[in-house]
């Protein structure tokens, strides 16, 4: 997180430690995931746009691209400030009301 500029070291005897390196409303959950895990939707360590599926398998590459776009649509909209405030953007929160959203599969 520090290398990505998301947190900074704050020196001091009583108040030392880490703090956000940017304002909380500028740090998205996607930023954090990328800093810790890497790209949002690599497939076997490769970006989906670089995959080559022979024999008409391009639909699978498009599936991975759509999956990445879907993750971005949620994780890039939610900031640390949203989480601290205890709410999600309306379009993200609406996804929790979809049929089966709370059912583990």
């Amino acid at each position: 997180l520090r290398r990505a500029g998301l947190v900074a070291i704050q020196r001091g005897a009583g108040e030392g430690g880490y703090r956000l390196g940017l304002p909380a409303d500028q740090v998205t959950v996607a930023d954090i995931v990328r800093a810790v895990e890497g790209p949002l939707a690599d497939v076997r360590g490769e970006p989906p746009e670089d995959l080559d599926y022979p024999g008409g398998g391009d639909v699978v590459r498009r599936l991975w691209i759509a999956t990445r776009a879907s993750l971005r649509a949620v994780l890039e909209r939610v900031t640390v400030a949203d989480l601290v405030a205890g709410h999600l953007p309306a379009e993200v929160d609406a996804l929790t009301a979809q049929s089966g959203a709370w059912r583990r599969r």
Side-chain angles (χ1 to χ4, degrees):
L1 294 173
R2 188 174 48 81
R3 281 187 215 127
L6 301 179
V7 296
I9 296 173
Q10 181 167 330
R11 300 194 188 280
E15 304 207 11
Y18 289 94
R19 61 174 173 75
L20 282 176
L22 299 168
D25 64 348
Q26 293 179 21
V27 179
T28 68
V29 174
D31 295 330
I32 295 167
V33 171
R34 286 185 187 111
V36 174
E37 299 289 331
L40 292 179
D42 273 2
V43 180
R44 298 182 314 265
E46 296 182 51
E49 61 273 13
D50 291 350
L51 299 174
D52 183 29
Y53 291 98
D58 186 60
V59 68
V60 177
R61 178 172 56 168
R62 291 192 340 261
L63 169 68
W64 289 119
I65 297 291
T67 299
R68 180 175 61 190
S70 179
L71 284 170
R72 284 178 177 169
V74 173
L75 300 180
E76 289 181 349
R77 284 193 174 102
V78 180
T79 67
V80 170
D82 293 327
L83 298 177
V84 170
H87 76 271
L88 296 172
E91 65 274 13
V92 172
D93 201 34
L95 296 171
T96 67
Q98 290 182 353
S99 175
W102 292 84
R103 189 173 57 229
R104 185 175 181 191
R105 300 187 234 183

